[in-house]
Amino acid sequence: MTGQVQAQTATAAPLLSLEAIDKSYGSMPVLKGCSLEVARGETVVLIGPSGSGKSTLLRCVNLLESINAGRIVFNGAEIADTHAEAPKLRRRIGMVFQNFELFGHLSAIENIMLAPVRVLGLSRADAHDIALSLLKKVHIPDKADHYPDELSGGQQQRVAIARALAMKPELMLFDEPTSALDPEMIREVLDVMVELSQEGMTSLVVTHEMGFARRAADRVVFMEKGEIVENAPVEVFFSGSGNPRSQKFLSQILH
């Protein structure tokens, strides 16, 4: 997959480009001069210690946070100053959070149908068909009529992924999607994410799951203290020849 993406980037503009992004909360800097490009069809994994700015970077991309300086270019258009257009942008950029964020009074299939009906204007019949196909995609079609409190954490997160996919996004953002799960449920969510990567979904993923990074990532980006310290192809990152600070962090994660 990596070679294919590199060939694409040689001839096409990146789907997402972050240029010297600064973000502060009051006097506290959270992101400092962060620059990153994500090509179409590429999976980029963000790793780093807690508080390094990874989740904040994702939230800036989805306009959940404003930036203080820099540019965010998505599909050729600068978006950092278009917060009034954020709802339209989020139709094209899906986001999966740590804590599922499902509506408890709606069944799994109703959670997935909601946005296509209300935002895209699809009929309930069409939205139902799409939702059912997505439940099959995430391997839980038998849970269509179950409510969130009847589902395991892994099943809830897979419903959340299906809900994001229902908007047919061009880019998927995953913010530590397995951090709230019991260990035995992590694999079922990661397997779905690997499948999406293999199918060519463009993804930016914050995670500590190095097995996922090895299986699905094209590049690994290491962040520390609000800065991008290393941005390397996955095979280089795991070769042991990268930045000493990121390699120390990696050894701590793996052991």
Side-chain angles (χ1 to χ4, degrees):
M1 176 167 46
T2 303
Q4 179 182 0
V5 170
Q6 289 175 339
Q8 291 173 345
T9 56
T11 57
L15 178 63
L16 175 69
S17 179
L18 309 179
E19 302 173 12
I21 301 299
D22 288 346
K23 168 67 180 177
S24 298
Y25 295 120
S27 61
M28 182 178 70
V30 181
L31 299 174
K32 296 179 283 187
C34 292
S35 296
L36 176 67
E37 292 185 348
V38 181
R40 290 184 185 275
E42 189 176 28
T43 296
V44 176
V45 166
L46 299 176
I47 70 168
S50 178
S52 58
K54 308 180 299 296
S55 294
T56 300
L57 193 66
L58 286 196
R59 293 174 66 85
C60 289
V61 171
N62 210 26
L63 303 187
L64 293 170
E65 299 279 0
S66 59
I67 62 175
N68 298 109
R71 299 174 74 236
I72 302 175
V73 179
F74 176 69
N75 202 17
E78 187 168 357
I79 63 172
D81 296 323
T82 60
H83 281 263
E85 300 295 315
K88 291 182 180 179
L89 179 75
R90 292 186 192 122
R91 301 179 193 181
R92 302 163 62 199
I93 301 178
M95 189 160 184
V96 177
F97 299 88
Q98 298 177 29
N99 293 315
F100 322 142
E101 308 291 343
L102 300 178
F103 292 106
H105 66 290
L106 298 178
S107 67
I109 199 164
E110 289 169 338
N111 265 281
I112 299 168
M113 291 171 57
L114 187 64
V117 170
R118 293 194 176 181
V119 178
L120 300 182
L122 297 185
S123 69
R124 285 189 60 82
D126 287 343
H128 184 279
D129 290 344
I130 290 170
L132 187 57
S133 70
L134 288 170
L135 285 170
K136 292 177 181 177
K137 189 178 190 68
V138 299
H139 310 301
I140 47 172
D142 56 316
K143 303 299 183 182
D145 297 323
H146 287 63
Y147 288 82
D149 63 2
E150 299 173 322
L151 302 173
S152 71
Q155 291 166 346
Q156 290 185 61
Q157 191 61 292
R158 284 185 280 168
V159 172
I161 293 172
R163 180 180 59 183
L165 293 174
M167 298 298 289
K168 298 182 179 180
E170 297 173 62
L171 171 67
M172 283 286 286
L173 307 176
F174 293 91
D175 186 9
E176 298 195 47
T178 61
S179 64
L181 300 179
D182 294 333
E184 64 269 19
M185 299 176 185
I186 290 174
R187 179 61 180 267
E188 61 193 41
V189 173
L190 293 179
D191 283 347
V192 168
M193 293 170 59
V194 168
E195 290 173 12
L196 292 176
S197 176
Q198 292 172 342
E199 292 169 3
M201 171 61 71
T202 310
S203 302
L204 189 56
V205 183
V206 173
T207 185
H208 290 304
E209 298 293 337
M210 293 300 96
F212 169 79
R214 287 180 183 272
R215 292 170 66 194
D218 293 286
R219 282 185 292 124
V220 179
V221 174
F222 176 75
M223 294 185 65
E224 185 177 51
K225 298 179 181 178
E227 298 180 309
I228 293 177
V229 176
E230 184 172 10
N231 178 356
V234 65
E235 64 273 12
V236 173
F237 186 83
F238 286 106
S239 71
S241 61
N243 182 283
R245 179 63 191 96
S246 60
Q247 292 302 305
K248 180 180 178 181
F249 178 81
L250 179 60
S251 69
Q252 293 170 338
I253 289 288
L254 294 179
H255 294 93

